[in-house]
Amino acid sequence: MTGVIEIRKDISLDPAVSPLLYRSKTITETTLSCIDANRAWAGGGKTAGYASGDLIKDLTYNDKAATVRGTAVYDGGGVKFTTTAPVSGSPLIDLPDTFFLGATCKKVLLNLWVKVPAVYDAQGAAGTRMILGVAKGSLNPPTASAANCHIGVLFNCDASGSLSALQLNAFGALISSNATSQVKGKAGSVVHLAVYAYAHSSNKVAFRAYVNGVAFADQVTGYDWSIPTGVNSRAVVGNKGVQSGFDIAYTFYRAMINDLTSSSEDVAALVLNEYNAYKSSFS
């Protein structure tokens, strides 16, 4: 027999869900998309750095990829941008369109691994900076308005360029998270931030944040659940040109999104499994 034999060490079979061999330990049948910048076979793990246009393949079976939009350096398994614009392109990573939520989605879970330094915006202007945003709307860019967001993680910075409030988006709603101080305490370190958002019994949007596997109290908003639509769409990691402000410093490692609307999977278990599986993978 001739051909190529590929060995993959980080896979799992979940017979309780479906007889599929997944490309990542924590992917389940509810996973819409999973991008991991540490996977060399998928286009990540480039210790020599990244060029504008480099692709990182989705770990699910949807045949999609994320696109690195600017020259970047390798950082402990991740893609690192600084507050200085890259030599080529923009300091952004475009996520595949599988990060957009379906019209009937009422429960979404985002697992995000990033590293953001204590000072991540050197421009000296307070305001909202986007870490990850998925949005649709009539305006361009749609990510500039919380009402357009399917899911989003925002770092609001003070005039010194440091975190003043962690803001979370989902279903067109926006909150200032009760996990702000814990995320602020992780400045300069790899952090696993999970966001669970769902339509509350009153059809209002509720949020639950997790930091390194630890849950915070649910925050129920006054926003009605919706799935924003529009002619302009963007799913992106980074800030320049998609939110207020300028270049920001960050390292992106991994993002996974699940539609849990019709699922009986335990959210806390999904988050803890993700944290335990990858807490030693990035630096």
Side-chain angles (χ1 to χ4, degrees), residues 181-205:
S181 61
Q182 284 71 21
V183 172
K184 190 172 184 176
K186 302 297 182 183
S189 301
V190 180
V191 63
H192 171 223
L193 177 61
V195 180
Y196 175 52
Y198 61 98
H200 195 261
S201 57
S202 61
N203 215 40
K204 302 297 182 181
V205 181

Side-chain angles (χ1 to χ4, degrees), residues 27-201:
I27 289 176
T28 72
E29 66 175 3
T30 63
T31 304
L32 302 176
S33 191
C34 181
I35 300 296
D36 189 328
N38 200 32
R39 300 299 182 88
W41 70 264
K46 293 186 175 180
T47 56
Y50 293 82
S52 182
D54 280 351
L55 299 178
I56 302 174
K57 295 178 182 178
D58 199 317
L59 299 187
T60 68
Y61 293 112
N62 60 30
D63 197 27
K64 302 286 185 175
T67 305
V68 179
R69 290 301 181 193
T71 52
V73 300
Y74 174 88
D75 180 21
V79 181
K80 180 180 180 179
F81 290 104
T82 68
T83 54
T84 302
V87 174
S88 175
S90 299
L92 301 171
I93 301 169
D94 275 332
L95 298 170
D97 59 9
T98 40
F99 269 78
F100 292 108
L101 302 179
T104 59
C105 177
K106 287 199 170 187
K107 296 179 182 178
V108 62
L109 174 64
L110 172 71
N111 280 285
L112 174 65
W113 293 83
V114 292
K115 179 167 62 180
V116 182
V119 177
Y120 54 88
D121 187 330
Q123 301 294 328
T128 302
R129 309 291 182 259
M130 180 164 285
I131 304 299
L132 183 150
V134 179
K136 290 185 177 183
S138 59
L139 301 178
N140 191 16
T143 46
S145 170
N148 296 330
C149 277
H150 287 199
I151 191 77
V153 175
L154 303 147
F155 276 32
N156 196 301
C157 68
D158 56 27
S160 68
S162 298
L163 180 64
S164 60
L166 170 67
Q167 295 180 315
L168 304 177
N169 278 154
F171 303 125
L174 173 69
I175 63 159
S176 290
S177 175
N178 52 9
T180 295
S181 61
Q182 284 71 21
V183 172
K184 190 172 184 176
K186 302 297 182 183
S189 301
V190 180
V191 63
H192 171 223
L193 177 61
V195 180
Y196 175 52
Y198 61 98
H200 195 261
S201 57

Side-chain angles (χ1 to χ4, degrees), residues 138 237 272:
S138 59
V237 177
L272 192 59

